[in-house]
Every structure is written in structure tokens, then in C-alpha cells.
Amino acid sequence: MDLTTIVILVLTGVLLLLSVIKDRRKTLAALCVAYKGFVRLLPSILAIILVVGLIIGFVPARWIAQVIGKNSGALGVAIASLLGAVLFIPVIIAFPLARSMLDMGAGIMATAAFITTLTMVGFVFLPLEIKELGKRFAVARNALSFLAAVAIAVVIGVIIR
Amino acid sequence: MNEKADAAANGKKRSMRERIRWDYTILFLLIPAFVALVVVFPDKGATARHVAWEYFKEMVMILPAVFVIMGLVSVWVGREFIVRFLGEGSGVKGVVLSFILGSIPMGPLYVAFPLAAVLLKKGAKVANIIIFLSAWACIKLPAELMEFQFLGWKFTLVRYLATLLVVVILSEIMERIFFKEGYALPGERGADGDV
């Protein structure tokens, strides 16, 4: 077990303990929410594990490095952001997927752009967003998310080399 | 009002059920595909199996913490809390509050839309609402645990700061260009006409 895992587990343990001390029933309710969330996401989690295995096992790393690799530049970022905008998967399983991309030689900029559009641009939610917040707002926000994905990717690319 | 709430609840339930079915469909298509590929190509299959197992072990280690944090947040930080503090404060304080409040709760983005609508009606700054929704979408406290684990502290921290910077600047520009005179929700505009 690496340090990160231990820190996270200890932190969670402390918070849980505090919660129990403060209010037992609320803590029980929290665990109930946790369990429900787990059950709801379980198929996605198992699916992403298989997908990651298949990607690393069967897709030649050369391809990924070529399309969204360090030297793919603007085109790589564009492809990764489009991919992220079209795909629709829960945030929690997006990070393991992102790491498998990095392990395969994807560039850090493309990976960051992928995560950002994956989570911020929601074509699936667009009708609902228009209904709740109006067309102008929804279109403006989604457009902004696209721009943001590219800008965030550039900032990250400049800082992390 | 009640009818509306019921309809919303039904809509939510239905879409949730649809999603679960999709999840299972994909999973049950993936399992035989995975097994077949591993059997037919033992060489590459060994890598695939090994990688899947390593990721599985890592997930098992971290997921209980992620979901417990998710549960604790949803119980201790209610929706009322968010609405109470958001839309208050202006300038830098408003921006920081929007970003932080957006990144605390868990739940898909569509849960945040009605909240955003309420806040817009209350007269919150459009830029702050965009910041709130952006943070809600891509910086989630429980999900950040996954990011720490899988992508490391450095990537997580840099992405967090980069997102804050970019979203704040872009939403301000967006507001100046498109929402100079504020923003009326579709329903509201009609009501104004009636009056």
C-alpha cells in the first residue's frame, strides 16, 4: 500500500469517527448513502476495469502515443476533448481511465483536456439544462467548458513537463 | 407544486433506471468479449488480465473511502447549506464561495441545474453560477480522492488550480459578452411580460 492510499484511508477513518461521535443516526444515514452509491456505480466500476485491461493489453501503445501523445500537440488536445465531450461516464471511474491513457504514452495536456470535457460538457444533459436554465445559458456554459478544457490543458502542460 | 415535484422525481427515477440498465448492458457485453480475447490471444491476454487485476486491487483499496466520504458529505452538507451561502458575497469572496460550494457535494451535474436556477432567480451573478456549475462538474471532493490515488498529488493540485484560474477568467469574460444586462430565466421573462 502506498502513502497516498494510507493518507486517504486514515483521513476517511478520522472523519467517520468524528461523525459517529457527533451524531450516530446521521452517520448511519451516511453509510446508507455510501452503500447505495457503491451499488449504483458497481457495474461501471467493473466495466472500466475490464476496459482498462483491454486497452493496455490490446491497443498498441504506439497508436495512443501517436494520436494523443506528448508530441501530438493541438490536434491531440482537440481529439481528446472531443472524445471526452461525447463519452459519458461517472467522474469516479474517469481517473483510472485517465491513468491508463497516461501509462500508454498519452500526453499530460491531452489527458487533462479529456478529463475536463468528460466532466464539464454534458451533451446528454443538454436538454435538461436548457429546460432548467434556458438555451442561452446552457449553450454559453457548454461552449465555455470546451474553451476551458483547452485552456486548462495548456496551463497544466506548461507547469508539468 | 406537488405535481411538479412528483414529475421531477419520476423523471429522475426513470433516467436513473435507464442508466443502470446501460451500465449492466455494457458490463455483460464486456465480460464475454474480455474472456474471448484473453483466450484467443494468450500473450496480450496475460497483460490485459494482469492490468485488470492490478486496477481491481487498487480500486478495492480506495473505493470504500471514496463512498464513505460521499455519504458523509451528503448527510452533513445539505442542499440548504449550499443555497444559503451561495449568491452571498460579491467580488473575490463570491467567486471563492461559488467554487468551494460547487466542489463539495456529490451527485451528477443535472442535480445542480435546479439549484443554479434558484440562485439565478435570487439574483446571483451569472459568472458565479457558471463557476459553481463548473466546479460541481469537474472538482468533486470524493472524486478527488480517486484522482490523488490514480494520478498523484501533483497532477491533482495543478489541475485544481488551473481549473480555478481558467474557469474564473472565462466565466467573467462570458458574463461581460453575453449576460451584460444579467440573465432572466425563460419562465421569468414571460412573467415580466404579464406584469
Side-chain angles (χ1 to χ4, degrees):
Chain A
M1 229 194 278
D2 60 303
L3 189 67
T4 313
T5 319
I6 294 169
V7 170
I8 290 172
L9 290 179
V10 168
L11 180 83
T12 309
V14 170
L15 288 177
L16 193 61
L17 201 68
L18 283 177
S19 178
V20 170
I21 291 169
K22 221 170 167 207
D23 191 333
R24 268 192 196 191
R25 285 178 74 184
K26 264 192 163 178
T27 309
L28 207 63
L31 290 178
C32 215
V33 171
Y35 175 74
K36 275 189 199 144
F38 173 70
V39 169
R40 207 181 60 225
L41 277 177
L42 188 62
S44 303
I45 292 165
L46 293 175
I48 209 73
I49 290 171
L50 294 180
V51 167
V52 166
L54 289 178
I55 290 177
I56 296 187
F58 289 91
V59 179
R62 178 159 44 85
W63 289 7
I64 294 193
Q66 215 165 47
V67 180
I68 52 173
K70 278 189 194 76
N71 302 317
S72 61
L75 190 67
V77 171
I79 291 172
S81 358
L82 276 178
L83 201 67
V86 175
L87 281 182
F88 171 60
I89 62 176
V91 200
I92 283 183
I93 60 170
F95 295 117
L97 184 64
R99 191 180 70 196
S100 75
M101 284 165 57
L102 280 175
D103 285 348
M104 296 281 287
I108 212 132
M109 279 171 72
T111 307
F114 175 74
I115 291 175
T116 309
T117 52
L118 191 65
T119 50
M120 272 171 71
V121 183
F123 288 145
V124 188
F125 297 146
L126 202 55
L128 201 69
E129 187 170 0
I130 289 174
K131 207 181 113 209
E132 293 277 359
L133 296 168
K135 205 182 231 161
R136 217 164 102 211
F137 186 93
V139 170
R141 196 194 65 80
N142 279 284
L144 173 134
S145 301
F146 247 115
L147 287 176
V150 175
I152 290 168
V154 171
V155 174
I156 291 178
V158 169
I159 296 175
I160 302 180
R161 294 237 139 218
Chain B
M1 189 65 192
N2 257 336
E3 256 174 48
K4 222 176 176 181
D6 283 347
N10 279 336
K12 218 162 110 190
K13 230 181 257 164
R14 209 184 311 126
S15 70
M16 204 97 97
R17 221 181 292 144
E18 272 166 19
R19 250 187 68 205
I20 285 177
R21 246 178 236 162
W22 268 109
D23 296 352
Y24 280 110
T25 312
I26 291 170
L27 181 63
F28 289 137
L29 287 174
L30 266 170
I31 292 172
F34 188 89
V35 172
L37 281 168
V38 167
V39 169
V40 176
F41 305 98
D43 253 23
K44 290 175 176 175
T47 313
R49 245 177 35 210
H50 174 74
V51 167
W53 177 238
E54 287 301 315
Y55 271 76
F56 177 76
K57 280 196 294 192
E58 211 162 331
M59 297 264 206
V60 166
M61 215 91 88
I62 200 75
L63 280 175
V66 172
F67 284 105
V68 166
I69 295 275
M70 194 195 284
L72 288 176
V73 166
S74 80
V75 168
W76 288 106
V77 188
R79 215 147 288 176
E80 305 75 38
F81 179 87
I82 306 284
V83 175
R84 179 141 47 99
F85 284 99
L86 197 66
E88 266 182 32
S90 51
V92 178
K93 196 181 154 208
V95 168
V96 172
L97 265 180
S98 308
F99 198 78
I100 292 177
L101 287 175
S103 61
I104 296 173
M106 199 61 195
L109 191 55
Y110 59 77
V111 176
F113 294 150
L115 276 184
V118 170
L119 295 163
L120 277 175
K121 262 180 218 150
K122 270 171 75 178
K125 204 164 171 274
V126 176
N128 286 354
I129 298 303
I130 295 179
I131 293 169
F132 171 70
L133 286 175
S134 302
W136 186 297
C138 69
I139 307 275
K140 300 264 75 169
L141 206 59
E144 286 316 283
L145 297 183
M146 288 298 271
E147 194 170 0
F148 285 150
Q149 176 73 24
F150 282 92
L151 296 171
W153 297 90
K154 198 172 155 197
F155 184 92
T156 307
L157 197 68
V158 172
R159 194 179 74 88
Y160 189 91
L161 293 176
T163 304
L164 177 63
L165 184 77
V166 167
V167 165
V168 167
I169 293 173
L170 278 183
S171 58
E172 192 61 42
I173 294 174
M174 210 65 145
E175 176 169 304
R176 297 243 167 117
I177 297 176
F178 294 106
F179 306 104
K180 228 175 173 177
E181 282 92 39
Y183 181 64
L185 288 169
E188 266 183 330
R189 215 172 289 144
D192 282 353
D194 287 340
V195 175

